[in-house]
Amino acid sequence: MAQTQQLGQDSGHDIGLDTGLDTGRDIGRDIGQFVAVDPVVDRMRTLRATWHPADGVAVFNRVYLTVTEEIGHAIQAGTFADRTAAATLDVRFAERYLTAVDTVATGGPAPACWRPLFRYRRHPGVRPLQFALAGINAHVGHDLALAVVDTCRVLECAPADLEDEFDRVGDILLLLEERIREELMPGPDLLEIADPLTHLLGCWSLDRARDGAWLAARSLWQLRGLPELAGEFTERLDRSVGLVGRMLLTPLTRP
């Protein structure tokens, strides 16, 4: 359970990690009665109404909106012992996805982990389930680790203090992954054991991605006093997650 303990001068503000976000902003003061999560939910709802439903990023957005709403309900219901820590982590997590969306919308390059999804978002040979999992891969495999570090900087705590919140968010993600596979997986009459989609999906695991994100977050926290090494670690994490995303988006049907 996060107790947001004070760490004095060594609170992560010198981590040397370019987060791409205004991490100096005091999100904690805005949380109150479940205020902080609302803006990111509203933003994702706006994107849902703007994009074509078949757009690959839109497919992921619908999935992620459901995740964020579920976490918000859990915060309201008191599922998280430390509501401030849970809401801060949720918002920092969501902001990384929304920042990637804004960067691409203004003509900038997406992070390497997100690049395959934005590049193939309209490819007719990629199935909806692939789009959803590619987005989850980018967001969990890369963004979640950095969101943990962001949260530690804001709340002046260490990753270990956020472990309960991290685990509960991960549990919600796992439940929603099962729902996604049920809703987007082709029916038994269309999906055969020899179908390439069956084999492709067996190559990726949300549970393993979550474990990797936790290890990466702890590693980055330990590297906060070595900015050059932390930057190299973050860049390599970004690229490796992007490589997995490109594999998940392998076209399986001819245009």
Side-chain angles (χ1 to χ4, degrees), residues 107-200:
C113 62
W114 285 104
R115 210 164 293 153
L117 180 59
F118 282 98
R119 182 174 296 171
Y120 288 88
R121 63 192 299 178
R122 297 181 181 87
H123 197 295
V126 179
R127 304 185 192 181
L129 181 57
Q130 293 176 260
F131 287 131
L133 293 184
I136 294 173
N137 168 70
H139 203 37
V140 173
H142 174 265
D143 294 352
L144 183 54
L146 302 189
V148 170
V149 175
D150 291 342
T151 302
C152 288
R153 296 179 64 178
V154 170
L155 300 181
E156 297 188 334
C157 65
D161 300 308
L162 299 175
E163 189 168 5
D164 286 353
E165 287 70 31
F166 182 94
D167 288 342
R168 289 183 181 275
V169 169
D171 290 342
I172 293 173
L173 288 169
L174 287 172
L175 290 174
L176 287 169
E177 185 202 20
E178 294 178 6
R179 187 185 307 172
I180 292 163
R181 288 177 182 263
E182 291 174 359
E183 292 179 358
L184 298 180
M185 181 77 81
D189 54 330
L190 298 176
L191 188 62
E192 301 176 356
I193 192 170
D195 191 314
L197 181 61
T198 306
H199 298 275
L200 187 64

Side-chain angles (χ1 to χ4, degrees), residues 113 116-117 119-120 134 137 241-251:
C113 62
L117 180 59
R119 182 174 296 171
Y120 288 88
N137 168 70
V241 173
L243 181 62
V244 175
R246 176 62 187 87
M247 179 271 293
L248 287 171
L249 292 173
T250 301

Side-chain angles (χ1 to χ4, degrees), residues 36-56:
V37 180
D38 290 342
V40 296
V41 169
D42 290 342
R43 179 73 198 290
M44 283 187 274
R45 287 173 177 166
T46 299
L47 292 174
R48 180 181 61 184
T50 302
W51 289 330
H52 190 282
D55 182 298

